[in-house]
Amino acid sequence: MNWLRRLATHRLLDVGAGLVMVAIVVLWAVVLPPRWSDFDFNLYYVGSRTLLEGRNPYTTSQKPMSDALGFRFSEEYPIAGYPPSFLWLFAPLAALPPPAAFAIWVAVEIGCLVAILWLSRWLLGERLSARGWLFVVALAISSRTVSYNLYFSQVQLLLAALVLAAYAAQRAGRHGWACLAVSTAGILKFYPFLLLPWFVWSGGGGLRARLYRLAGASGFVLAVMALTGPGLWRDFFQHGLPMGVGEEIGRTFHFSLPALVTNLGYLYHDFRPSPEAKQWWWSVGTIVGLVGIAAAYGACLTTRGDREAEFCLLSVAMLMGTVTVQGHYFVFLVFPLAVAAIRIAAKPTPGKVIYLILLIVAVNCVDPPTSPFLWRHMLLYILVSNLPLYGLFGLGLFFWRELRIQRELSLRSPDGRS
């Protein structure tokens, strides 16, 4: 391990990390400004602008407004596909000219990235040195997931910041605020709700306290739905949600268990499944994903005392079990990967270091393969395209093992503490 330690402490790595960050930021400054008229910012803007003009964004075609404002229009998304809560949240930007609104949105995304990195630094405390944090920042900024969030104006940075803020509040003993933060993320885009049971349960305080937190989170969600329009929510569930999910199923840019199962099912039907077959494979994939999430919760219930590993495992399971998980969703892994790196660095071995490197590489391989050979062998193409999913599985396995070790230590200790 001596050569690894010498390599890790070489100052040229610091210089290289700094140069990479500067180069990426310069690239963003060049690439992002023309993106104001493209996905997904155009979908946010037109949907919210339609709402401000008093029309239903889930029954009104976006094409006339998109053409009038110079936005790119897609036949795949003729109506709004985001929930009313998000459209109303975005409405103040939709009242501005598109270029100005886009500039503010990019600033919000970058602010959320800064919040994720700062919260990671605060949560890891003295375990993460200033130099270690430099590399966390460099790897995050240079990752494909962060670049895709900015390039496609995605909302995942905001959601990841809210979820990590919820965990920070949980760590600080503010369990009600933690449930509120994760509920806010969930009402904007549903999949963070998968983490809510853990926040309700892990706060402690007995059954009554847990029921209060559950009631508070439920009341908040119902209040948001009432304030943003029950009729809009009905139309969103009837028109917007099926369109959004339906257009995403069967693509190779999704890296979850439901997506893998669905793609294999589509392959079985030579990618021409009937509507009934589509529904069947989608249902099977969803069940497989939920089973994976339930298994992660089961692992958390059988141990105690390592809330950090529980949160990281469930964050990974959330991504593995959600129906539509594109490459930019992996911004949720900034904190779990930093935790894994710190724990491996505490007791490093060549095998563990290589394992961590492979995980980081795998979760960044989000671009579908362009090999003509793979295109001719579709099963192999699907399997190779899911490298990020294998990275998720490997990361989940790491935290499952951490929880298992903690459980064994707890069983050995009379008071249940390691």
Side-chain angles (χ1 to χ4, degrees), residues 239-371:
H239 305 292
L241 185 61
M243 176 203 67
V245 174
E247 290 297 335
E248 300 299 339
I249 291 176
R251 294 186 177 183
T252 55
F253 192 56
H254 287 279
F255 311 106
S256 67
L257 286 173
L260 176 60
V261 171
T262 304
N263 278 326
L264 292 175
Y266 278 35
L267 175 64
Y268 178 78
H269 295 280
D270 198 25
F271 286 91
R272 289 191 292 270
S274 65
E276 294 77 15
K278 284 184 177 182
Q279 181 65 36
W280 193 87
W281 283 106
W282 181 84
S283 299
V284 171
T286 301
I287 292 171
V288 170
L290 292 176
V291 169
I293 294 170
Y297 267 102
C300 294
L301 285 170
T302 58
T303 188
R304 51 181 172 172
D306 196 348
R307 297 303 190 201
E308 182 179 79
E310 291 176 9
F311 172 73
C312 291
L313 175 61
L314 291 174
S315 296
V316 172
M318 174 186 69
L319 297 180
M320 290 184 66
T322 301
V323 175
T324 58
V325 176
Q326 300 181 18
H328 39 71
Y329 285 53
F330 281 41
V331 72
F332 280 89
L333 299 182
V334 171
F335 180 72
L337 282 172
V339 172
I342 285 177
R343 295 190 176 205
I344 289 175
K347 296 179 180 179
T349 65
K352 289 181 179 180
V353 172
I354 293 172
Y355 188 77
L356 177 64
I357 293 173
L358 291 176
L359 289 181
I360 294 172
V361 171
V363 298
N364 273 282
C365 292
V366 296
D367 294 300
T370 57
S371 167

Side-chain angles (χ1 to χ4, degrees), residues 60-347:
T60 303
S61 172
Q62 297 191 97
K63 182 172 174 54
M65 185 180 293
S66 295
D67 293 342
L69 294 173
F71 285 125
R72 177 185 170 192
F73 175 76
S74 173
E75 296 291 343
E76 296 176 343
Y77 304 99
I79 59 175
Y82 290 86
S85 52
F86 180 76
L87 294 184
W88 278 116
L89 180 67
F90 196 86
L93 294 184
L96 301 174
F102 179 74
I104 295 174
W105 177 248
V106 170
V108 169
E109 289 181 291
I110 293 175
C112 291
L113 174 60
V114 171
I116 292 168
L117 295 171
W118 182 85
L119 285 169
S120 298
R121 180 76 174 95
W122 181 78
L123 288 165
L124 295 173
E126 295 180 355
R127 292 183 295 161
L128 181 63
S129 66
R131 189 166 184 265
W133 189 61
L134 169 67
F135 289 113
V136 170
V137 173
L139 288 171
I141 288 178
S142 60
S143 67
R144 302 295 287 171
T145 183
V146 169
S147 295
Y148 277 138
N149 267 277
L150 295 175
Y151 189 76
F152 293 107
S153 299
Q154 278 294 316
V155 71
Q156 319 310 328
L157 281 167
L158 172 61
L159 302 183
L162 285 169
V163 168
L164 196 55
Y167 175 63
Q170 192 85 326
R171 282 271 297 270
R174 299 180 178 275
H175 308 302
W177 286 106
C179 292
L180 180 62
V182 78
S183 297
T184 300
I187 200 64
L188 295 176
K189 203 165 185 180
F190 299 142
Y191 66 92
F193 276 135
L194 294 170
L195 297 175
L196 181 59
W198 181 80
F199 280 95
V200 171
W201 148 61
S202 65
L207 178 61
R208 177 175 294 183
R210 291 183 172 94
L211 289 176
Y212 280 150
R213 288 194 290 272
L214 179 60
S218 302
F220 170 76
V221 171
L222 292 175
V224 170
M225 295 182 72
L227 290 172
T228 52
L232 286 175
W233 281 98
R234 182 194 62 240
D235 291 335
F236 166 70
F237 285 121
Q238 183 177 354
H239 305 292
L241 185 61
M243 176 203 67
V245 174
E247 290 297 335
E248 300 299 339
I249 291 176
R251 294 186 177 183
T252 55
F253 192 56
H254 287 279
F255 311 106
S256 67
L257 286 173
L260 176 60
V261 171
T262 304
N263 278 326
L264 292 175
Y266 278 35
L267 175 64
Y268 178 78
H269 295 280
D270 198 25
F271 286 91
R272 289 191 292 270
S274 65
E276 294 77 15
K278 284 184 177 182
Q279 181 65 36
W280 193 87
W281 283 106
W282 181 84
S283 299
V284 171
T286 301
I287 292 171
V288 170
L290 292 176
V291 169
I293 294 170
Y297 267 102
C300 294
L301 285 170
T302 58
T303 188
R304 51 181 172 172
D306 196 348
R307 297 303 190 201
E308 182 179 79
E310 291 176 9
F311 172 73
C312 291
L313 175 61
L314 291 174
S315 296
V316 172
M318 174 186 69
L319 297 180
M320 290 184 66
T322 301
V323 175
T324 58
V325 176
Q326 300 181 18
H328 39 71
Y329 285 53
F330 281 41
V331 72
F332 280 89
L333 299 182
V334 171
F335 180 72
L337 282 172
V339 172
I342 285 177
R343 295 190 176 205
I344 289 175
K347 296 179 180 179

Side-chain angles (χ1 to χ4, degrees), residues 371-390:
S371 167
F373 172 78
L374 292 177
W375 291 340
R376 293 193 299 270
H377 302 82
M378 192 53 61
L379 176 60
L380 185 59
Y381 178 85
I382 291 174
L383 296 177
V384 172
S385 296
N386 275 280
L387 279 175
L389 175 59
Y390 310 147

